Amino acid sequence: MSGQMTSQISTFIVDGRCPTKGSVRSFIHPKTGRVVSMADNRNLAQWTKDARVLARIAKVPLIYKPHGVVVDVRVEFVKPKTAKQVTPTVRPDADKLLRAILDMLTGVGYADDSQVVHATIMKAYGPSERVIVTIGRAA
């Protein structure tokens, strides 16, 4: 796992397209006058819920503080027939994918995302759209 020493390694797969964690937009609701914050990706909430269920089914252990966590992510896309490049060097951005995945793991793989001491992400072409997440306790 990324060259880091780890223990309690767990891997799980989330089928389907991984949404990105983009910007959060805040505004004052015209009827209530309250500040409302919304993520700019409408698919994120449902994907997060589904991915957390899959992590629990895979029996990913919750790593509590003060232990550090190492996360390795592979996001796969189906290669378009017109693509000439060997790797998916187009959107979505790797950092926005990683943010969505790290936030999803909070409360499932670790107590708080401040525990993540090492994270890697790879975008690649594969047989289907999916996310492969490997998580372990830093030794």
Side-chain angles (χ1 to χ4, degrees):
M1 237 188 103
S2 310
Q4 290 286 324
M5 298 294 290
T6 56
S7 60
Q8 293 182 330
I9 296 173
S10 298
T11 299
F12 66 100
I13 297 172
V14 182
D15 288 319
R17 187 170 196 85
C18 180
T20 58
K21 175 81 177 224
S23 304
V24 174
R25 186 173 59 97
S26 296
F27 58 92
I28 297 176
H29 192 280
K31 291 184 180 177
T32 65
R34 292 184 171 199
V35 175
V36 178
S37 297
M38 295 179 64
D40 64 354
N41 191 327
R42 292 191 175 120
N43 300 323
L44 183 60
Q46 186 61 51
W47 182 88
T48 297
K49 186 186 278 186
D50 294 344
R52 286 178 174 166
V53 168
L54 291 169
R56 288 184 182 108
I57 289 170
K59 298 187 184 338
V60 172
L62 182 60
I63 302 169
Y64 291 97
K65 286 185 173 187
H67 300 290
V69 176
V70 176
V71 179
D72 185 56
V73 177
R74 180 181 171 94
V75 181
E76 293 185 354
F77 304 93
V78 174
K79 186 174 183 177
K81 293 180 181 175
T82 58
K84 293 182 173 87
Q85 64 271 24
V86 178
T87 56
T89 56
V90 297
R91 290 180 187 255
D93 297 347
D95 62 324
K96 290 184 178 181
L97 291 166
L98 184 60
R99 283 180 29 209
I101 294 161
L102 293 179
D103 285 351
M104 174 272 297
L105 286 168
T106 301
V108 176
Y110 41 77
D112 187 80
D113 56 5
S114 65
Q115 291 173 256
V116 178
V117 296
H118 186 89
T120 60
I121 185 164
M122 176 182 193
K123 294 185 342 183
Y125 289 126
S128 63
E129 290 190 338
R130 64 185 184 168
V131 180
I132 303 167
V133 179
T134 303
I135 182 171
R137 193 173 90 186

